[in-house]
Amino acid sequence: MPREVVTIQVGQCGNQVGCRFWDLILREHAHVSKAAVFDSALSSFFRNVDSRYSDPAEIPLGDGRTQIRTLKARAILVDMEEGVVNSLLAGPLADLFDARQRITDVSGSGNNWAHGHHVYGPLYRESIEEKVRQAAEKCDSLQCFLLLHSLGGGTGSGFGTFMLQSLEDLYPEVFRFVSCVCPSRDDDVVTSPYNTVLA
């Protein structure tokens, strides 16, 4: 039985890393599986949907030999500056993402952990919880959440840690894995060390 992974990409860095993550998954699967079938390996990270309808119909895994119609990543895209998410949704992998599974703002967190955690976190709490619930309901057996973010910026560190706390409260029995990018020693953002400590 497949176990699904819901990926949550937070902040500029998390969404840029996420873009490469999805590209790599598709390349590796194409290298291993020459047939275009929706198998259990793909179902861990993707949904197979029939996109001919306005509300795409789910195509179940079945016996693991179902043809791929349209793959949709089990992903939620979050950034308080909409530029990176918009470029993802306009790029070569745009069809992979469900535009309804994104949360953006225009002003950003200003490289400030407190702004991401204490301002945007409570402001978007209900919205993010609803998107996570929707993603979890589309899973047969949710195994874990994978959070991609950075520790140096405001949205990645502040909103990212807020998300981790919310996931622990809402889904205590589901594993939470984090892939975080730490700032370099010569980072040009003056608040990076503080954001990292607080995250």
Side-chain angles (χ1 to χ4, degrees):
M1 173 183 345
R3 302 287 309 262
E4 295 90 0
V5 177
V6 172
T7 304
I8 304 170
Q9 304 169 190
V10 182
Q12 177 181 344
C13 181
N15 280 289
Q16 289 172 333
V17 169
C19 183
R20 298 302 303 151
F21 173 76
W22 295 111
D23 181 52
L24 183 61
I25 286 177
L26 289 172
R27 286 176 193 246
E28 285 187 2
H29 188 269
H31 179 73
V32 171
S33 175
K34 302 302 180 198
V37 295
F38 187 65
D39 57 17
S40 61
L42 268 183
S43 72
S44 292
F45 294 99
F46 298 96
R47 296 180 302 119
N48 191 16
V49 299
D50 190 346
S51 58
R52 294 178 293 177
Y53 307 102
S54 59
D55 188 21
E58 249 348 275
I59 300 172
L61 175 61
D63 61 1
R65 291 181 284 190
T66 307
Q67 289 295 316
I68 295 174
R69 294 289 285 183
T70 303
L71 290 178
K72 290 293 181 186
R74 297 183 189 279
I76 301 168
L77 286 60
V78 180
D79 198 0
M80 295 302 116
E81 290 179 18
E82 60 189 355
V84 174
V85 172
N86 286 344
S87 68
L88 270 176
L89 295 176
L93 298 177
D95 291 339
L96 220 59
F97 302 106
D98 185 348
R100 297 171 295 182
Q101 286 294 86
R102 72 174 175 152
I103 295 174
T104 58
D105 201 293
V106 290
S107 62
S109 297
N111 293 318
N112 185 328
W113 175 88
H115 199 74
H117 194 84
H118 294 293
V119 175
Y120 285 125
L123 182 64
Y124 287 101
R125 178 184 204 120
E126 288 180 15
S127 179
I128 191 69
E129 287 176 357
E130 178 62 17
K131 303 234 183 276
V132 169
R133 185 193 60 75
Q134 290 170 357
E137 284 181 355
K138 292 178 181 172
C139 297
D140 290 330
S141 180
L142 178 61
Q143 179 180 13
C144 68
F145 294 104
L146 172 62
L147 182 72
L148 305 172
H149 69 123
S150 75
L151 297 180
T155 302
S157 65
F159 196 87
T161 53
F162 185 88
M163 278 288 315
L164 277 173
Q165 289 174 346
S166 292
L167 291 173
E168 184 177 8
D169 294 341
L170 295 170
Y171 301 92
E173 72 287 347
V174 179
F175 293 111
R176 295 164 303 281
F177 294 105
V178 177
S179 178
C180 58
V181 176
C182 295
S184 67
R185 184 177 250 176
D186 55 343
D187 194 343
D188 61 346
V189 176
V190 104
T191 56
S192 286
Y194 304 106
N195 293 338
T196 304
V197 169
L198 293 168

